[in-house]
Amino acid sequence: AQRVTQPEKLLSVFKGAPVELKCNYSYSGSPELFWYVQYSRQRLQLLLRHISRESIKGFTADLNKGETSFHLKKPFAQEEDSAMYYCALRGSGSEKLVFGKGMKLTVNP
Amino acid sequence: GAGVSQSPSNKVTEKGKDVELRCDPISGHTALYWYRQSLGQGLEFLIYFQGNSAPDKSGLPSDRFSAERTGGSVSTLTIQRTQQEDSAVYLCASSSIYRDLTDTQYFGPGTRLTVL
């Protein structure tokens, strides 16, 4: 079965602090992992995907197959990073995304 | 260009009534998805359409739920005999095909359904 777990529902940090949003997955094959973000009153949008290996808005995420994790990290959080973050998985040969339950990040001034 | 659009943005209905939710995908996108976003449940896959292939209905929670995609573009999600547990935000997404794989999914703003 495919499952995505985001163990924390809420994270509150101060501006400039490092953040790490945890994501663990369960899948027997080679998955594709994504982070989606939803800012207040905006639609859900892709933040980054592991195959791109790029940094978006200062965020990075590394797929660790040994630990089955895809944690999202940013060294210095900004107030505009406050949003809901969803980790998602797509299994090989599958088209649907399996999402975690999301985590709300609040960056305080 | 225009993104995925959904209508209505909000729908309030009485228990037992039927509702129809509409999705207009990005022009040229052949893949279309419906998801449901409920409190405490996160985002759940409902159904997937790709071109003229048979849809993947594996996520539909009951036979009260159905969806159509006419002409490979607009899709309608229908919920019959609505129940209070159907209250949620229904999200539509579309994507193109790249190297025989569906590419990034672009989401619409959602329809918030409230069943009284």
Side-chain angles (χ1 to χ4, degrees), chain A:
Chain A
Q2 301 175 19
R3 184 179 299 125
V4 176
T5 303
Q6 294 180 250
E8 299 159 328
K9 291 186 178 179
L10 301 169
L11 178 61
S12 182
V13 301
F14 287 103
K15 175 183 174 182
V19 291
E20 181 178 61
L21 285 65
K22 296 186 185 299
C23 172
N24 290 90
Y25 66 90
S26 174
Y27 182 66
S28 57
S30 294
E32 189 172 3
L33 275 296
F34 305 80
W35 277 98
Y36 277 81
V37 60
Q38 189 167 27
Y39 301 102
S40 179
R41 292 183 290 278
Q42 294 188 27
R43 61 186 67 190
L44 193 66
Q45 59 186 282
L46 178 68
L47 179 62
L48 54 80
R49 56 199 300 182
H50 89 271
I51 60 172
S52 300
R53 293 184 169 275
E54 55 190 348
S55 174
I56 303 293
K57 299 185 179 183
F59 285 97
T60 59
D62 292 317
L63 178 61
N64 186 324
K65 293 187 178 180
E67 296 182 356
T68 59
S69 68
F70 189 57
H71 302 327
L72 183 68
K73 300 177 184 179
K74 184 168 182 176
F76 308 103
Q78 304 299 313
E79 291 178 65
E80 55 265 30
D81 296 328
S82 296
M84 282 291 297
Y85 290 81
Y86 295 91
C87 183
L89 172 154
R90 185 167 70 188
S92 56
S94 174
E95 302 298 341
K96 68 180 184 183
L97 290 173
V98 176
F99 286 88
K101 294 192 176 181
M103 197 194 77
K104 183 176 181 179
L105 173 64
T106 301
V107 182
N108 300 295

Side-chain angles (χ1 to χ4, degrees), chain B residues 35-57:
Chain B
Y35 293 87
R36 179 169 69 175
Q37 188 174 27
S38 310
L39 277 176
Q41 296 298 319
L43 283 139
E44 303 169 277
F45 166 79
L46 296 177
I47 188 169
Y48 159 69
F49 294 91
Q50 170 53 40
N52 295 320
S53 303
D56 176 357
K57 304 180 181 180

